[in-house]
Every structure is written in C-alpha cells, then in structure tokens.
Amino acid sequence: MSISSEHKPLGKQVTSSLHMVSKQLSPIVELNVGGEMYTTTLSTLKKHPGSKLAEMFTGQPKLRTDSEGRFFIDRPGTYFKYILEYLRSNQVPTQCIQDVYKEALFYDIEPLIKQLEDSPQIFGELVARRQFLARVPNYSENIELMIRIARAEAVASRQSSVIVCVVRTEEDAARCQDALNGLDMDKKSVVKFGPWKAVPSISDLLDCIQMDVEAKGYKISFQPHVAEKGFRFKSHDFFYKFLFTWW
C-alpha cells in the first residue's frame, strides 16, 4: 500500500511534465494578451531569438495560462496585432506608432524598434523634442511640481491654477527674478522653466508643457498672466497661468 501511494504523485508529476513539454513544442500557440485572443505559430514568436518575446517561448514555458489553457501576457492586447504583423511579414505599422513603439520596447524586438525610431513620429519625439527638453534644466521635475501645486489647490474647486515663469536667456532670468520680487504672490508657488540653449522658442516650450501634462491624464490650458497696473515689467513676457480643470 505504501509503494502504491508513493507512486501516484510521481505518475501525476510525470504526466504533468509531459503535458508541459508537449505544449512547449506545439507549433501552434494560442495567446491571451490583455484579454485579446491571438493564434500564431511558435516560429513566428521566436523569429528574433534575442527578443524578450522569443525568450518567453524558449525552453520550458515561462508564462501562466488562462482558464482555457492559452498563454497569458499581461500587456495591452490592442497593439499586439501590430507586433504579430511585423513578425509575420516584416510590415512596419503605420498606425498607433507611439503605442506600438512602447510594446516593441517591452518585447525587445530590436529590428522593429530601430525601424519605428526612423518614423517621423518617433524620430521627432526622440531626436527633436526630447533633445530640446534635455536642455531645459529640471524640466521633468518642474512638470511634477506643477501637478503637485495644482492638486493641492483643487479642494472644493472646479479649476486650479499654477503660475509658470518661462525664460529663454540668462538675461531674461535676471529680469524674471526682478519681476517675481514685485509680484503679489507666494514665490514658492511659481514654477520656473529655463533658461536653455536651443532653437525652440518660449511658445514651443509652453506647448511641450501642455503636451506632457495632458499625457499624464490632466485637462489643462494656459494663457499669459497679466499683473496689476503699474507693474514695471510686462509680466506676460515671462509669466503664464496654467489652468487645471477637474470637472
């Protein structure tokens, strides 16, 4: 009796292992990617051996399965069809470029990443806009500061405002500081951007600020901030009011 009881679990274990091996070697693979179902071949998924996607299906399966036995990948399923299309036919997607690029980075499909980076959308973002913003001191930190200030002022309000000082040159920075000293407001609540050494203008930077705040899910607009009469500088040369709308 003791021998029989000891061998039962072993038999189940062997059966389970054989099942996993057969699943691993199956040429047809069913996937559940974020709730979207796909059927493809193992060779398609492993087309680029150095990719993370190929690694998922190399050797013993490394993914969990759903209730139907499909391999589950916890990523946005909508864009996986573009990944599959590229793997099947080398067709570079022309839609949802930014989102597909994020997925290509996740799956580490190097040839697709490089081709997407040559597209106008990604090239413009990586080479033009991001390189410009890298020359604006503390840009990302200031975006987060703006959001913290806006959220702090949002209690029982439909909108909250953040005053931003934007200066392009060192000379403007000095003038901005003089102007700031004359403004009737808490100086700590004014977020300063600049100066920078690059071609884009103040208007370009303001557009970037709006774009990046909106990318975080906020509804935002901006306008020149005009100070009271008798102010010795044209405050709208430097100061802008960003309005966050909550509802």
Side-chain angles (χ1 to χ4, degrees):
M1 292 295 292
S2 61
I3 295 176
S4 175
S5 63
E6 288 175 359
H7 278 73
K8 278 186 179 181
L10 180 60
K12 290 181 180 180
Q13 182 178 353
V14 171
T15 301
S16 176
S17 297
L18 290 173
H19 174 71
M20 291 300 291
V21 170
S22 64
K23 181 178 248 186
Q24 170 194 340
L25 299 177
S26 174
I28 306 299
V29 180
E30 292 188 353
L31 301 171
N32 177 345
V33 185
E36 299 281 341
M37 311 307 166
Y38 294 94
T39 302
T40 186
T41 64
L42 187 63
S43 60
T44 296
L45 296 171
K46 297 171 67 174
K47 184 174 182 179
H48 298 285
S51 69
K52 182 177 179 179
L53 184 61
E55 178 63 23
M56 291 177 180
F57 296 93
T58 299
Q60 192 74 11
K62 302 170 180 62
L63 297 171
R64 295 182 179 181
T65 56
D66 65 11
S67 59
E68 299 296 324
R70 293 174 290 235
F71 288 111
F72 180 73
I73 302 176
D74 193 14
R75 296 294 294 181
T78 304
Y79 311 115
F80 190 73
K81 64 182 178 182
Y82 300 108
I83 300 292
L84 266 187
E85 188 61 34
Y86 176 77
L87 295 174
R88 288 166 173 162
S89 62
N90 289 324
Q91 181 176 334
V92 179
T94 57
Q95 303 177 44
C96 309
I97 300 296
Q98 297 280 357
D99 295 303
V100 176
Y101 179 65
K102 292 177 184 176
E103 296 310 295
L105 288 173
F106 173 79
Y107 294 113
D108 195 21
I109 305 173
E110 193 64 32
L112 178 56
I113 292 171
K114 289 181 178 179
Q115 291 184 67
L116 288 173
E117 287 179 348
D118 284 337
S119 69
Q121 298 94 321
I122 303 299
F123 180 86
E125 173 68 15
L126 293 180
V127 177
R129 199 177 82 92
R130 287 195 190 177
Q131 288 299 315
F132 159 53
L133 295 177
R135 289 164 169 76
V136 180
N138 303 315
Y139 177 81
S140 297
E141 293 84 349
N142 284 339
I143 293 292
E144 296 301 326
L145 178 57
M146 286 180 63
I147 292 172
R148 288 199 300 271
I149 293 172
R151 291 173 69 94
E153 296 183 358
V155 179
S157 301
R158 183 169 188 176
Q159 291 182 319
S160 53
S161 64
V162 179
I163 304 300
V164 168
C165 175
V166 183
V167 293
R168 186 175 179 181
T169 67
E170 293 289 351
E171 180 181 1
D172 285 344
R175 294 178 63 205
C176 174
Q177 187 59 49
D178 289 342
L180 187 58
N181 291 335
L183 282 176
D184 184 20
M185 66 174 70
D186 182 1
K187 298 178 181 61
K188 293 181 181 179
S189 66
V190 178
V191 182
K192 179 184 173 184
F193 287 87
W196 63 87
K197 294 181 180 179
V199 173
S201 65
I202 287 177
S203 177
D204 294 325
L205 181 64
L206 292 169
D207 288 339
C208 287
I209 294 171
Q210 182 173 13
M211 184 187 308
D212 288 330
V213 173
E214 288 180 341
K216 295 179 180 293
Y218 295 92
K219 184 177 180 180
I220 191 174
S221 61
F222 67 88
Q223 62 191 39
H225 176 67
V226 181
E228 65 279 0
K229 292 181 179 180
F231 193 67
R232 59 182 179 143
F233 291 101
K234 292 181 179 179
S235 59
H236 58 266
D237 287 345
F238 308 114
F239 295 98
Y240 297 84
K241 179 187 290 186
F242 279 80
L243 290 173
F244 287 72
T245 301
W246 303 107
W247 53 274

